Amino acid sequence: MAHKVWILNLDDFVFKSKALDALKTHSLKYIQLLKPGDFCVLSPLIHRDQAFLDYMARIKKIEHKNWVFLPKEQRQDESLVAAISRDEELLKKLRRLCAMGYVVIPLIYTKEFGHLSWLCENKLLNNSIAVQEANNKLVFKELCKKFGIPTIAPVYEAGMNKVPRILATLNPQETYLLRRPFSAGGYGNIKGNLVDLLPLIKQEHKEADFYLERYKEIYKTLGSLCMLKDDEVSFVGIDSQLIHKEAWEGCSFPFQRLPKGILDEIREKSLMLACYYYGKGVRGQINIDWAIRKKDGDLKLRALECNSRYNGFGLCLRLASTVYGINRRDLHFYMDTKMRFAPKWTTQKLIDELDKINAAIPFKGGVVLTSGVEDGKAGFCFIATNAQDLATLRKEFKRHITGLTERPTRDWE
C-alpha cells in the first residue's frame, strides 16, 4: 500500500460563505487519517495546536519531523487546493514524492483537485463529476426516487443561479428545514417556520443554492458505510449518529438495536447505491445517512443524503486500526466531538490524563483525543473490542476528567 500525502481540503465540502469557518474548525481532526510514513497539507489560515499535532504524531507513529506542509499563502477568498496549485515550491515537493511512489489524496475529490493531481503527476484516478453528484443532496434524492428508496422530498428550491421552484404546498404553520445541496456536517441547516425563514430565503437567493423540506421528527439517525475499491464494493456496517441542532456531532458503532428487517434493508439499499456510484467511477468511501421515523406505531426508513468522502465513521475505523490494531470486525467505538470541560483543562492536560487512563486499562483499546481544546470543547473517540470494555472506558474517563458535560446515554441508544 502506497504512502499518502493528504490534502485536507475541508473547505471544498461546505458552501462558500461557511467554507473558511469549516476549514479552521475541523482541519486538524482529519490528521487522524494518517499512517506512519504519510504527510499532509494544511491551510496556513488555521490555528495549529502544536500539542495536538505532537500527540497525533506520537500515537500514529509518524517518525519523520516535517510531516506537515503549508502553501506559502492562502487568500481568504480562495480554496486550499487553489493555494497549493499556485505554490510552485510546494508543487515540486509533491511531484518528487509522487515520483517516489506516494499518492496525493484529498478528503473529497473535486474538479479542482483533479487539476492539482495532474500538476503533481499523481497516480490517483476518480471521477470528480460523479463524486460531486453523489454529494449533491438534491441529485441523491432523485437517484433514490429511481431506485424506489423513500426520502424526504424537497418542497421548494432556489438559489443564486436557479429559477425558484415551488414543489409542494407551503404552510405558514408548518416547520421546515433550510438546507444546501452541497454542504457537510450540518453546515447551513436551519430549522423554522416560513416567517422565521423568509429573511434568510431572501438573502440566500443572492448567495447560494438551497432548498426547503418539511421538518420531520426522527427517531434515529443512522449512517451506513461502503468501501469502493478498484476491484470490489463492500459493506462495512451501520453506526448511530448524534445530531444536535440539525448538525452531526458524533457516532457510535456497531448499531443493532432495530428489527433485523430494517437493518437488512439498510445494507441492501446501501450496496445498491454504492454499486451504482462504483459504476460511475467513484472510488473510496461512500457514507449514506438514514432516518428512522415512527409513524402509526411502525418504523419507517428514509434515505437522507450521501457523502462520498471520509466522515466520522471512517475516521474511527482508521484510528482503531492504526493506533490499536483493531479491525472493523471486532470494533466497538463511541465518538463525541463536542464534549465540554471546566476551564482548567488544556489540550496538553487532557493528553497527559488520557495517557494515564490508557496505560491502566487491561484490555485492547483506549481513549483518543480527536481535537485540541477550543472554547472549552474537545472531541474523543473511545475504542474497544466489545461493549463491556467500551462501557468501562467511558466510566474511567468520567472518573479522571472532572468538570465534564457529557451526552445523555439515551442519545446513543
Side-chain angles (χ1 to χ4, degrees):
M1 187 70 69
H3 289 312
K4 296 180 175 64
V5 182
W6 292 89
I7 306 292
L8 303 183
N9 61 328
L10 197 67
D11 49 345
D12 285 338
F13 294 5
V14 180
F15 65 102
K16 190 172 181 180
S17 65
K18 293 291 184 180
L20 185 57
D21 177 44
L23 191 72
K24 291 179 176 179
T25 304
H26 300 293
S27 288
L28 289 190
K29 298 175 185 178
Y30 283 87
I31 289 173
Q32 299 161 61
L33 291 167
L34 273 67
K35 293 182 178 180
D38 286 357
F39 296 88
C40 72
V41 184
L42 290 173
S43 166
L45 298 175
I46 72 169
H47 168 67
R48 295 183 296 284
D49 186 329
Q50 194 58 49
F52 182 71
L53 286 169
D54 292 344
Y55 165 76
M56 272 291 149
R58 171 166 61 87
I59 67 169
K60 304 285 284 183
K61 303 175 182 65
I62 301 171
E63 295 181 355
H64 44 286
K65 291 183 179 179
N66 300 316
W67 55 278
V68 176
F69 302 150
L70 305 172
K72 288 180 181 177
E73 177 195 26
Q74 181 183 356
R75 296 189 297 264
Q76 296 276 334
D77 62 345
E78 73 175 340
S79 70
L80 174 59
V81 170
I84 297 168
S85 297
R86 63 185 183 83
D87 186 336
E88 191 55 43
E89 186 176 333
L90 180 53
L91 285 176
K92 287 178 181 177
K93 189 178 292 186
L94 295 177
R95 286 191 202 105
R96 284 198 300 269
L97 287 168
C98 288
M100 293 165 58
Y102 276 78
V103 175
V104 180
I105 186 167
L107 293 181
I108 185 168
Y109 197 103
T110 60
K111 181 180 178 181
E112 291 74 18
F113 176 81
H115 177 66
L116 173 62
S117 185
W118 175 78
L119 290 174
C120 297
E121 301 174 15
N122 185 35
K123 294 179 176 63
L124 177 68
L125 295 177
N126 210 333
N127 186 328
S128 61
I129 296 174
V131 170
Q132 185 171 356
E133 287 183 356
N135 284 287
N136 186 309
K137 297 173 178 59
L138 289 174
V139 174
F140 176 72
K141 288 176 185 290
E142 288 298 318
L143 178 63
C144 286
K145 188 185 297 184
K146 291 178 183 177
F147 283 148
I149 301 172
T151 64
I152 299 174
V155 296
Y156 179 80
E157 293 179 25
M160 186 170 55
N161 301 308
K162 280 189 172 186
V163 176
R165 296 173 61 205
I166 297 176
L167 306 171
T169 302
L170 300 176
N171 184 343
Q173 305 304 316
E174 281 193 284
T175 302
Y176 294 91
L177 193 61
L178 186 152
R179 308 187 75 195
R180 275 72 178 181
F182 192 80
S183 193
Y187 270 92
N189 290 354
I190 303 169
K191 183 176 74 171
N193 59 38
L194 288 179
V195 175
D196 296 332
L197 294 176
L198 192 58
L200 294 170
I201 290 171
K202 289 181 178 178
Q203 184 65 26
E204 292 298 326
H205 272 293
K206 303 173 185 176
E207 293 186 357
D209 292 345
F210 70 98
Y211 65 96
L212 297 180
E213 61 186 29
R214 288 188 176 88
Y215 179 77
K216 305 288 187 180
E217 291 292 340
I218 293 174
Y219 171 60
K220 296 283 183 200
T221 304
L222 307 179
S224 60
L225 183 63
C226 294
M227 301 286 192
L228 283 60
K229 298 182 179 179
D230 287 339
D231 55 351
E232 68 172 343
V233 175
S234 61
F235 180 78
V236 175
I238 300 169
D239 73 350
S240 176
Q241 300 187 4
L242 172 62
I243 306 297
H244 180 62
K245 293 184 178 179
E246 319 313 323
W248 181 94
E249 291 190 355
C251 54
S252 62
F253 173 83
F255 179 79
Q256 298 171 326
R257 298 183 184 183
L258 280 177
K260 184 176 182 297
I262 291 181
L263 298 177
D264 288 345
E265 187 179 359
I266 291 174
R267 184 181 190 279
E268 174 193 345
K269 288 178 166 49
S270 298
L271 282 169
M272 181 190 302
L273 291 164
C275 287
Y276 168 84
Y277 290 125
Y278 179 88
K280 288 288 186 178
V282 176
R283 297 295 182 267
Q285 296 192 2
I286 285 281
N287 174 262
I288 300 165
D289 291 342
W290 305 89
I292 305 295
R293 299 194 62 234
K294 281 186 174 180
K295 188 174 182 180
D296 301 326
D298 295 327
L299 297 177
K300 304 291 185 181
L301 181 67
R302 297 289 183 268
L304 292 177
E305 62 184 64
C306 175
N307 296 299
S308 176
R309 58 179 175 83
Y310 283 89
N311 68 345
F313 196 160
L315 284 176
C316 291
L317 288 179
R318 183 60 64 85
L319 278 178
S321 64
T322 54
V323 179
Y324 297 112
I326 298 174
N327 63 48
R328 68 194 193 203
R329 290 181 295 277
D330 301 322
L331 177 60
H332 286 64
F333 71 73
Y334 168 100
M335 184 185 217
D336 190 337
T337 64
K338 293 288 178 67
M339 287 188 173
R340 293 183 176 273
F341 301 87
K344 67 177 182 178
W345 291 99
T346 63
T347 299
Q348 189 59 56
K349 183 174 172 58
L350 279 173
I351 290 168
D352 294 341
E353 206 61 37
L354 290 186
D355 285 345
K356 295 176 187 176
I357 296 171
N358 291 331
I361 61 171
F363 50 79
K364 196 172 187 178
V367 189
V368 176
L369 180 68
T370 61
S371 67
V373 176
E374 188 170 351
D375 298 327
K377 297 190 289 278
F380 299 86
C381 187
F382 301 77
I383 299 168
T385 59
N386 59 69
Q388 184 176 345
D389 288 349
L390 191 63
T392 299
L393 270 179
R394 293 181 62 188
K395 288 177 184 175
E396 285 300 301
F397 181 79
K398 290 178 186 178
R399 189 166 70 86
H400 284 76
I401 312 297
T402 55
L404 170 70
T405 303
E406 195 186 4
R407 306 288 180 193
T409 304
R410 64 179 178 273
D411 284 345
W412 297 92
E413 295 180 343

